[in-house]
Amino acid sequence: MATIKDVAAAAGVSVATVSRVINNGPKVSDKNRAKVKQVMVDLGYRPNANARALVTQSSPTLGLVFSELTDPFFATLAGGVEKIAREHHRQLLISNGLVSADTERQAIETLLEQRCEALVVHSKALSDDELIAYAEANPAMVLINRHIPQIAHRCVWLDNRAGGEAAGRYLMSLGHQKIACVSSRYHIEDPQLRLEGLQQALAEAGQPLADIAIEHGDPNQTGGEVATQNLLSKNLGATAIVVYNDAMASGVISVLTDNGYRVPEDVSVIGFDDVLLSRYLRPKLTTMRYPIEMMAMEAAEMALSLSSGKTVSDCHKYVPTLVKRDSVLALRD
Amino acid sequence: MATIKDVAAAAGVSVATVSRVINNGPKVSDKNRAKVKQVMVDLGYRPNANARALVTQSSPTLGLVFSELTDPFFATLAGGVEKIAREHHRQLLISNGLVSADTERQAIETLLEQRCEALVVHSKALSDDELIAYAEANPAMVLINRHIPQIAHRCVWLDNRAGGEAAGRYLMSLGHQKIACVSSRYHIEDPQLRLEGLQQALAEAGQPLADIAIEHGDPNQTGGEVATQNLLSKNLGATAIVVYNDAMASGVISVLTDNGYRVPEDVSVIGFDDVLLSRYLRPKLTTMRYPIEMMAMEAAEMALSLSSGKTVSDCHKYVPTLVKRDSVLALRD
DNA sequence: TTGAAAGCGCTACCAC
DNA sequence: GTGGTAGCGCTTTCAA
């Protein structure tokens, strides 16, 4: 592959001049500029990004650590980050953290070795302390979907508890009194927070959630199916079910339907996330919207701002909003 | 950030020795090795990947050019590539081609500037000639979802035509005679090929697809809905509909249901792709499986093999397979 | 087993 | 406007 020297030699100018042309620098005669450009094309010259990064001490690259590209939720997250990277003409480097502490650490380290100028990290496995240390050592690193008070200004997060509360309040406002919950033991804190929010809302209204009304499952369709079967066998007589996420909710609806319950006429179901899926389900799923794409975009913008030395505001909390579709029925007006 | 010189100085050895330790090279005394390792930790030293890439003339990086992360189909593609990259301890660099010739070219150029050691490219907008030129200039570049005869050994592709044929044959084998098709004008050739396959299968059986039975729409749920409304207004009396992809099929089913047609009792529907969605739909969607993850994994493996000078076999054609679920009814046994 | 030094391709400074 | 050149952080000879 041709180097800058080859171009300089072929064009009969110095490497300095070629460099100026590459970088659209000033002070190059039109004649030389044209000539150099022509030679670059003829030789198929392509500047070496690594050499550039080495000498400028930074590469126009945005690193992203997260887990499962295949999961629609994470795909949307990645899509948001990619969009911002593209707008800013930055390369996107992706490392999978696999939701394990070792792998997440490894993923961050690799990206740091690449000298990415900015970093968006989705970490659920690393400790607060370790992330704080990373954040302090790397000014252009932003956390997404995580809230650590000491570095709050570097965290873009969702108030899961408020989401759980809102779901509970909404159902109660429609007259639901017997409410059940399909939660998850997914090894992150989100399910627990959503459940706590729900419990608090119900407790405040004097109709607390019975322990027996809570069922756990894997955070996917099958998990929702299994949990619902368990729930049904308890014969609770719930009129509404609050579910950890939309994927589980699809399983919930499926098992309810198979067992002769109509949704929402007999049982209302409310999901969480508002991934694409929720619009494909029948009935269309009422759910708490997790504005993950918007959050990912903000995280990426923040990281890029920080890398250029700008300061950012110190609160990036998002609150889930209710998306009313067809899976919840009003028991009264 | 500490450099190799800092480490060498602090450890009282030369940079050459430090380099040997970094690369697990031989010929370093245990004493020095331990000492250097300790110093690296103390200083928070992290090798500069750019400097390394510069001197070794290659970086352990796999580049991927494709379009929409958010689309489940592409997310699965990216997931497959990511998996292989991870297994081989390669970084993943992603560039969005946006299905436009200029952007796709730009995306490839950027990746080439990074001196990626291998490249997987999903291009629908660039011409055969241009891609052939790229492939010849870059031995470790592999195309996915595209078949160019001159560089067939570098193409991992799906026989869309065979998929259309198989769908048609299947429906006819179940006794369907009035078959309609919801296709797409998406600016790539896939829809056309699938339609041609279908037409051929029907023609061979002497029951050709009427022009009037073909409706086009955007390749998404809404497109499927609109196309189906148009189809219904023609009053064709079709007993089965072959749809371009699963997302459209969801729209097809939805409009059919809203208009009082039961699926599959009144009308059978068959999709294409077998994305996650097809299992969430009710009825579960019968569809032609596009083994995109497997294909993406093969493409990534191939690119990596090529980059290390290995040769690869010269045929990487995949054929869609029928996945029987619940949206197709047999009119006879 | 160790170190000195050349050089990867480029940018940016300084001199002209 | 232009060119010479130091040096970014690292690997890899070659000598010792």
Side-chain angles (χ1 to χ4, degrees), chain B residues 122-149:
Chain B
H122 182 279
S123 167
K124 289 292 183 184
L126 291 177
S127 69
D128 282 8
D129 285 347
E130 193 161 359
L131 288 171
I132 292 172
Y134 271 124
E136 284 173 351
N138 304 94
M141 168 170 160
V142 169
L143 300 181
I144 187 163
N145 290 5
R146 179 137 177 179
H147 176 55
I148 302 179

Side-chain angles (χ1 to χ4, degrees), chain A residues 3-4 19 23 45 47-48 52 55:
Chain A
T3 73
I4 197 173
S19 178
N23 297 292
Y45 171 75
N48 184 321
R52 248 168 142 154
V55 65

Side-chain angles (χ1 to χ4, degrees), chain B residues 227-256:
Chain B
T228 308
Q229 278 149 1
N230 293 342
L231 218 44
L232 288 179
S233 67
K234 291 182 194 164
N235 199 18
L236 292 172
T239 60
I241 304 179
V242 177
V243 187
Y244 171 58
N245 69 14
D246 294 347
M248 291 188 87
S250 79
V252 171
I253 291 176
S254 151
V255 167
L256 286 174

Side-chain angles (χ1 to χ4, degrees), chain B residues 302-325:
Chain B
M302 273 172 63
L304 253 13
S305 289
L306 287 166
S307 79
S308 61
K310 289 180 204 136
T311 51
V312 296
S313 66
D314 58 337
C315 182
H316 316 279
K317 177 173 100 167
Y318 284 73
V319 177
T321 51
L322 178 68
V323 180
K324 296 184 188 175
R325 294 210 183 85

Side-chain angles (χ1 to χ4, degrees), chain A residues 30-83:
Chain A
D30 287 350
K31 180 167 153 283
N32 272 344
R33 191 180 297 275
K35 173 140 203 185
V36 168
K37 283 192 171 171
Q38 183 56 51
V39 171
M40 293 200 298
V41 172
D42 293 346
L43 266 45
Y45 171 75
R46 220 167 263 128
N48 184 321
N50 293 302
R52 248 168 142 154
L54 180 58
V55 65
T56 60
Q57 299 282 33
S58 98
S59 75
T61 290
L62 177 59
L64 171 62
V65 173
F66 79 135
S67 48
E68 190 48 50
L69 263 176
T70 304
D71 182 316
F73 178 83
F74 288 112
T76 308
L77 190 169
V81 172
E82 190 271 336
K83 197 167 176 180

Side-chain angles (χ1 to χ4, degrees), chain B residues 250-265:
Chain B
S250 79
V252 171
I253 291 176
S254 151
V255 167
L256 286 174
T257 308
D258 290 350
N259 283 275
Y261 294 88
R262 291 165 303 163
V263 178
E265 292 80 357

Side-chain angles (χ1 to χ4, degrees), chain A:
Chain A
M1 168 128 300
T3 73
I4 197 173
K5 280 185 193 169
D6 301 326
V7 175
V13 299
S14 71
V15 295
T17 298
V18 177
S19 178
R20 289 183 188 107
V21 174
I22 295 172
N23 297 292
N24 281 315
K27 312 187 183 200
V28 181
S29 64
D30 287 350
K31 180 167 153 283
N32 272 344
R33 191 180 297 275
K35 173 140 203 185
V36 168
K37 283 192 171 171
Q38 183 56 51
V39 171
M40 293 200 298
V41 172
D42 293 346
L43 266 45
Y45 171 75
R46 220 167 263 128
N48 184 321
N50 293 302
R52 248 168 142 154
L54 180 58
V55 65
T56 60
Q57 299 282 33
S58 98
S59 75
T61 290
L62 177 59
L64 171 62
V65 173
F66 79 135
S67 48
E68 190 48 50
L69 263 176
T70 304
D71 182 316
F73 178 83
F74 288 112
T76 308
L77 190 169
V81 172
E82 190 271 336
K83 197 167 176 180
I84 299 303
R86 181 155 34 89
E87 280 176 11
H88 289 261
H89 302 291
R90 298 300 197 273
Q91 266 305 301
L92 218 210
L93 255 170
I94 288 187
S95 275
N96 195 327
L98 297 177
V99 203
S100 114
D102 281 346
T103 328
E104 285 184 357
R105 189 179 303 115
Q106 184 54 53
I108 295 177
E109 288 293 335
T110 317
L111 257 20
L112 255 19
E113 290 183 4
Q114 303 286 337
R115 302 299 189 266
C116 291
E117 80 172 279
L119 233 48
V120 173
V121 175
H122 181 281
S123 167
K124 290 291 184 183
L126 291 177
S127 69
D128 282 8
D129 286 347
E130 192 162 358
L131 288 171
I132 292 172
Y134 270 125
E136 285 174 350
N138 304 94
M141 167 170 160
V142 169
L143 299 181
I144 186 162
N145 289 7
R146 178 136 177 180
H147 176 56
I148 302 179
Q150 296 94 317
I151 49 172
H153 61 295
R154 307 276 280 283
C155 296
V156 176
W157 60 290
L158 183 84
D159 191 339
N160 281 292
R161 194 185 299 264
E165 276 188 54
R169 293 229 172 81
Y170 175 56
L171 291 174
M172 289 188 296
S173 78
L174 296 180
H176 289 275
Q177 307 214 359
K178 287 259 191 186
I179 295 176
C181 177
V182 166
S183 184
S184 172
R185 293 203 196 289
Y186 192 29
H187 50 293
I188 60 174
E189 60 187 356
D190 301 24
Q192 184 57 28
L193 291 172
R194 292 177 194 177
L195 176 57
E196 285 174 16
L198 174 64
Q199 287 172 318
Q200 179 172 339
L202 300 195
E204 282 174 3
Q207 50 180 83
L209 191 64
D211 282 349
I212 197 179
I214 305 171
E215 195 59 48
H216 293 267
D218 291 336
N220 52 40
Q221 185 177 31
T222 309
E225 289 172 354
V226 173
T228 307
Q229 279 149 1
N230 293 341
L231 218 44
L232 288 179
S233 65
K234 292 182 194 164
N235 199 17
L236 292 170
T239 62
I241 304 180
V242 177
V243 187
Y244 170 59
N245 69 14
D246 295 347
M248 291 188 87
S250 78
V252 171
I253 291 177
S254 150
V255 167
L256 286 174
T257 308
D258 290 349
N259 282 274
Y261 294 89
R262 290 164 304 161
V263 178
E265 292 80 359
D266 300 323
V267 183
S268 291
V269 173
I270 185 165
F272 208 111
D273 281 355
D274 192 27
V275 288
L276 196 54
L277 161 66
S278 58
R279 263 148 289 176
Y280 285 108
L281 290 179
R282 292 298 144 140
K284 285 181 183 155
L285 190 66
T286 292
T287 189
M288 300 303 304
R289 178 165 171 71
Y290 196 142
I292 184 61
E293 182 173 22
M294 202 188 305
M295 292 168 67
M297 288 171 64
E298 176 170 14
E301 288 281 11
M302 274 173 64
L304 253 13
S305 288
L306 287 165
S307 80
S308 61
K310 290 179 203 136
T311 52
V312 297
S313 66
D314 59 338
C315 183
H316 316 280
K317 177 173 100 167
Y318 285 73
V319 177
T321 51
L322 179 67
V323 180
K324 296 183 188 175
R325 295 211 183 85
D326 309 328
S327 64
V328 170
L329 185 76
L331 297 188
R332 65 163 185 247
D333 292 327

